Amino acid sequence: MLISIMLNGKKVVDDISPDMTLFKFLRAHGCYSVKCGCETTNCGLCTVFLDEKPVLSCAVLAARADGHKVETMEGLQKEAEEFGRFIADQGAEQCGFCNPGMIMNAIALFREKEEPTDEEIKQYLAGNLCRCSGYEGQLRGIHAFMEYRKNGGATCGK
């Protein structure tokens, strides 16, 4: 089955098996930020943007992405690095397991909500398994990043 996907701004055409997941397609095309920790849609590591919306790539067939736009962290490097610094600053990337999904969903949150409430933040991050930090560091990082953006990119208090 021949499919065409706009992957991180580049057109990718490939002949795939009908049962290939988007996760496996992305890994086969060098998107190593996309990880799969559970294969049951419970960890959030495989989160990517499909037409600007976060989806779990382990639960989407690659054929469903035919003709659509897919973005991974490789394609969102600038946004991911900018926000990722705030997560690291709060000690929330202890093992790094949850970072890909956490960052992708935080980017989706920031694109959709100017000033999200704690409840909205928790809803966006609900599908991301964090093994070691208890999510408090991520929440602090998100608040620090929102303050940074509110101040026009100037770090508050530094």
Side-chain angles (χ1 to χ4, degrees):
M1 161 181 272
L2 196 62
I3 65 169
S4 174
I5 294 175
M6 187 62 72
L7 176 58
N8 295 326
K10 295 180 183 170
K11 186 176 182 179
V12 176
V13 178
D14 200 356
D15 191 15
I16 63 161
S17 65
D19 63 345
M20 178 183 244
T21 63
L22 182 55
F23 165 75
K24 288 185 180 175
F25 178 89
L26 295 171
R27 295 286 292 188
H29 289 278
C31 297
Y32 300 117
S33 69
V34 184
K35 298 178 176 26
C36 191
C38 68
E39 296 185 15
T40 59
T41 69
N42 287 312
C43 72
L45 280 175
C46 67
T47 302
V48 299
F49 288 170
L50 178 60
D51 294 333
E52 308 284 331
K53 298 291 181 194
V55 299
L56 298 171
S57 63
C58 74
V60 175
L61 291 175
R64 298 270 328 249
D66 183 29
H68 294 274
K69 176 181 168 186
V70 175
E71 291 177 295
T72 67
M73 226 175 345
E74 285 87 355
L76 302 170
Q77 197 65 42
K78 186 176 182 218
E79 284 178 274
E81 284 179 7
E82 183 179 40
F83 172 66
R85 287 192 304 265
F86 287 85
I87 293 293
D89 188 50
Q90 295 299 323
E93 65 170 16
Q94 293 172 24
C95 76
F97 177 82
C98 66
N99 282 355
M102 204 66 76
I103 289 172
M104 292 298 286
N105 280 296
I107 289 171
L109 169 70
F110 299 139
R111 287 179 175 183
E112 293 182 27
K113 307 242 180 230
E114 185 87 14
E115 292 187 38
T117 64
D118 280 354
E119 191 57 40
E120 289 170 326
I121 293 169
K122 289 175 185 177
Q123 286 175 353
Y124 269 77
L125 303 182
N128 294 278
L129 176 64
C130 179
R131 294 176 168 175
C132 53
S133 77
Y135 305 96
E136 291 303 314
Q138 286 92 341
L139 193 56
R140 287 191 309 270
I142 287 171
H143 282 289
F145 184 71
M146 289 183 339
E147 188 65 27
Y148 166 81
R149 286 191 351 174
K150 190 185 292 184
N151 291 322
T155 305
C156 189
K158 292 188 180 181

